[in-house]
Amino acid sequence: MLTLFFTIIFIAEVIIAFQLILLIQKVDHKVSEYNAKVLSLTPQIEVNISKLRKNVEVALNGVLKLEQIIQKQKKKYKYTILKNIFTTLIFLVLNKNGRQILTAIDLVFTAKEFFDRAKSRKSSL
């Protein structure tokens, strides 16, 4: 009886092993097909990747040039704005009416500071 049991198990293992071998062969065949497709497309993939790399380099160079242009314009406008502010301040200081305008602006800021302090004192009480 024990011999029959081992024989049945052995035959079942052989059947399972045979099925596994067939399945592995099918999968191997499919992998070989896909490998052949990939190998046939490899030159085209390499060409497309090199084109993509060139396009990325061109775009990067464009961005770097744009950054340089923006930095130049930023420096230019900063200088222009500072020059205009300095010229306006000198004009206001040297002009008789300019002194009055500067005094009025100083009074406005002083009044604002006074009212802000008054509000903070009221809120603290």
Side-chain angles (χ1 to χ4, degrees):
M1 185 75 174
L2 196 56
T3 311
L4 183 63
F5 177 72
F6 284 124
T7 306
I8 292 173
I9 289 181
F10 178 74
I11 292 172
E13 287 178 358
V14 169
I15 292 172
I16 291 172
F18 182 71
Q19 292 294 326
L20 283 174
I21 290 170
L22 289 177
L23 181 64
I24 290 171
Q25 285 178 342
K26 287 180 184 178
V27 170
D28 182 51
H29 182 67
K30 286 288 185 184
V31 168
S32 297
E33 287 179 14
Y34 287 126
N35 189 31
K37 287 180 184 178
V38 169
L39 289 176
S40 68
L41 292 175
T42 299
Q44 186 179 5
I45 291 171
E46 289 174 355
V47 168
N48 289 337
I49 287 176
S50 68
K51 286 180 183 178
L52 179 65
R53 180 177 289 154
K54 288 178 184 177
N55 290 337
V56 168
E57 288 176 4
V58 167
L60 181 62
N61 288 335
V63 168
L64 292 176
K65 287 179 183 178
L66 180 64
E67 179 188 14
Q68 292 172 352
I69 291 170
I70 289 172
Q71 291 297 330
K72 287 179 184 177
Q73 292 296 325
K74 184 179 174 183
K75 287 179 184 178
K76 177 182 170 185
Y77 287 120
K78 189 183 286 186
Y79 174 75
T80 304
I81 289 171
L82 287 175
K83 186 176 88 173
N84 287 339
I85 289 172
F86 184 69
T87 305
T88 304
L89 286 175
I90 289 177
F91 173 75
L92 289 175
V93 168
L94 295 177
N95 190 353
K96 184 194 267 185
N97 294 332
R99 289 186 199 140
Q100 293 172 354
I101 291 171
L102 288 174
T103 304
I105 291 171
D106 187 41
L107 285 173
V108 168
F109 282 124
T110 304
K112 182 185 179 306
E113 185 179 335
F114 174 76
F115 288 124
D116 289 343
R117 286 185 183 177
K119 282 183 184 179
S120 67
R121 288 182 185 159
K122 283 181 183 179
S123 63
S124 66
L125 296 176

